[in-house]
Amino acid sequence: ISGDVTDEADNCSTGLEATYSDAIDNSDPCNIIITRTWSLTDNCGNAAEDQLQLIIVIDNTPPVFTRPPDTEIYTDPACGYDSSITETGDVLDEYDNCSTGLEATYSDVIDDSDPCNIIISRTWSLEDFCGNEAADQVQTILIRDLTAPFITCPPNTAITYGSSSDPLVTGYAVALDDCDDDPSISFSDDTIPGECYGNFEILRRWTATDQCGNIDSCDQSIFVQDIEPPVITCMVTGN
């Protein structure tokens, strides 16, 4: 690779082979310098003038590594998330032909335009001690909101038969969600018959839905009571 002497010649001797000795300066491991001294002596002990060959050994081989796999994590009840390498994975196989103890680094680009599906594009990089860089590798981390809102139903209540069961009268549910300031609230009613026509129960199911489609529900009972006595009219008879 570094070359050999191929033109040894002498007026009397034949079959001569030049020899060499090396002095190695490896103080800079990225640019090792070999000073090679070539010597040639004929069969009669006559020595040619030594010649120096300079060989520079350069490390131009980039390191290699494997990025962590793409992954999915979830927001916590407070709408936060942990995207540290403890949760999303780290590079564990950094390798270089010359450098040891290498650690891959990363930088993040966060796309939170969809709060239900936040995307972190994590670019991993690795450089050896001689400045050789591996090709960057991108890991995709998806953060999803799977936490349902918290809904509180109005208390159970009773109304008289014929009265309005509108929530303005019977109460509204309230809902809280740390990722959605205004979750939607709806309700549906089922009627449970009572012992008589005017006494029955309205079972009202309240549902809260956040912007990511997570749902929580609760039930309110509205008891309808017939408390009106019947009206009787007596007949008046004469003599």
Side-chain angles (χ1 to χ4, degrees), residues 45-117:
N46 300 306
E49 183 178 356
D50 290 345
Q51 298 183 37
L52 300 181
Q53 178 189 15
L54 195 65
I55 303 169
I56 301 177
V57 183
I58 299 174
D59 174 16
N60 60 5
T61 302
V64 294
F65 72 97
T66 304
R67 67 168 176 83
D70 297 338
T71 189
E72 184 174 295
I73 59 176
Y74 309 99
T75 55
D76 58 32
C79 203
Y81 59 85
D82 181 4
S83 61
S84 67
I85 58 176
T86 303
E87 295 295 324
T88 59
D90 192 8
V91 174
L92 302 175
D93 63 349
E94 297 95 334
Y95 173 78
D96 186 72
N97 62 327
C98 296
S99 303
T100 59
L102 297 181
E103 288 288 339
T105 59
Y106 66 85
S107 61
D108 288 344
V109 175
I110 301 175
D111 177 3
D112 56 4
S113 56
D114 178 359
C116 302
N117 295 281

Side-chain angles (χ1 to χ4, degrees), residues 132-211:
N132 301 304
E133 297 179 354
D136 289 344
Q137 299 181 35
V138 179
Q139 175 194 16
T140 300
I141 302 167
L142 176 63
I143 299 101
R144 297 181 60 201
D145 173 14
L146 297 183
T147 302
F150 180 76
I151 189 170
T152 302
C153 268
N156 298 335
T157 188
I159 59 175
T160 59
Y161 179 76
S163 299
S164 172
S165 63
D166 188 279
L168 288 172
V169 176
T170 57
Y172 281 96
V174 294
L176 298 175
D177 188 90
D178 283 316
C179 293
D180 184 355
D181 292 334
D182 188 23
S184 65
I185 300 175
S186 61
F187 68 88
S188 61
D189 290 344
D190 284 326
T191 301
I192 302 174
E195 294 180 357
C196 65
Y197 178 80
N199 291 342
F200 57 90
E201 177 186 353
I202 299 173
L203 183 61
R204 178 162 291 171
R205 170 149 293 185
W206 290 92
T207 301
T209 306
D210 69 13
Q211 61 187 347

Side-chain angles (χ1 to χ4, degrees), residues 5 44 55 80 85 101 104 115 121-122 124-125 133 139 162 168 201 207 215 226 239:
V5 174
C44 297
I55 303 169
I85 58 176
S121 298
R122 177 163 290 172
W124 289 92
S125 305
E133 297 179 354
Q139 175 194 16
L168 288 172
E201 177 186 353
T207 301
I215 294 174
D226 179 4
N239 291 328

